[in-house]
Amino acid sequence: MPKRYQIVLTEQERQKLERWVKNPPRPYLRERARAILQVAQGETIQATVEQLRVRIHRNAVSEWVQRFLAERLEGLKIKAGRGRKAVFSPTGKRSC
């Protein structure tokens, strides 16, 4: 049986997530907000993945939910320092 997460949203969180679905500050937040709203309505992770507009693995959605439960809205954003580091530095110093 699929695991169901219990997400209880405050009214402010729900309004902000609904705004992100329509007009997100960053494009990646649209699907994350949509997923959190569906899980908060009682959907399973698998059912949520099937209803999203882009193809996303269920493990990614599960991670979004877990981060949301731990950090709330800030958990949906990409943290600074993630990704590939620059090889060229504009200051002229080598980063390698």
Side-chain angles (χ1 to χ4, degrees), residues 4-42:
R4 287 192 187 262
Y5 288 95
Q6 294 290 327
I7 297 179
V8 178
L9 298 173
T10 64
E11 189 57 35
Q12 292 83 11
E13 288 174 333
R14 182 175 303 281
Q15 289 173 355
K16 192 165 209 174
L17 289 169
E18 288 172 353
R19 271 195 311 257
W20 284 0
V21 167
K22 295 175 185 166
N23 187 21
R26 298 273 185 236
Y28 67 87
L29 287 173
R30 177 175 284 131
E31 292 304 317
R32 293 177 186 199
R34 188 174 283 128
I36 296 300
L37 287 170
Q38 288 181 355
V39 172
Q41 292 175 354

Side-chain angles (χ1 to χ4, degrees), residues 12-76:
Q12 292 83 11
E13 288 174 333
R14 182 175 303 281
Q15 289 173 355
K16 192 165 209 174
L17 289 169
E18 288 172 353
R19 271 195 311 257
W20 284 0
V21 167
K22 295 175 185 166
N23 187 21
R26 298 273 185 236
Y28 67 87
L29 287 173
R30 177 175 284 131
E31 292 304 317
R32 293 177 186 199
R34 188 174 283 128
I36 296 300
L37 287 170
Q38 288 181 355
V39 172
Q41 292 175 354
E43 294 285 343
T44 63
I45 297 294
Q46 187 61 39
T48 299
V49 167
E50 292 168 2
Q51 293 174 11
L52 292 177
R53 295 183 179 170
V54 295
R55 235 175 95 182
I56 298 173
H57 198 273
R58 61 185 162 82
N59 289 347
V61 175
S62 181
E63 287 177 17
W64 298 344
V65 170
Q66 290 171 6
R67 284 202 322 252
F68 181 83
L69 289 171
E71 303 172 37
R72 304 311 284 181
L73 292 173
E74 288 301 312
L76 298 179

Side-chain angles (χ1 to χ4, degrees), residues 78-86:
I78 295 176
K79 307 287 187 278
R82 297 280 316 238
R84 184 176 179 199
K85 305 303 179 245

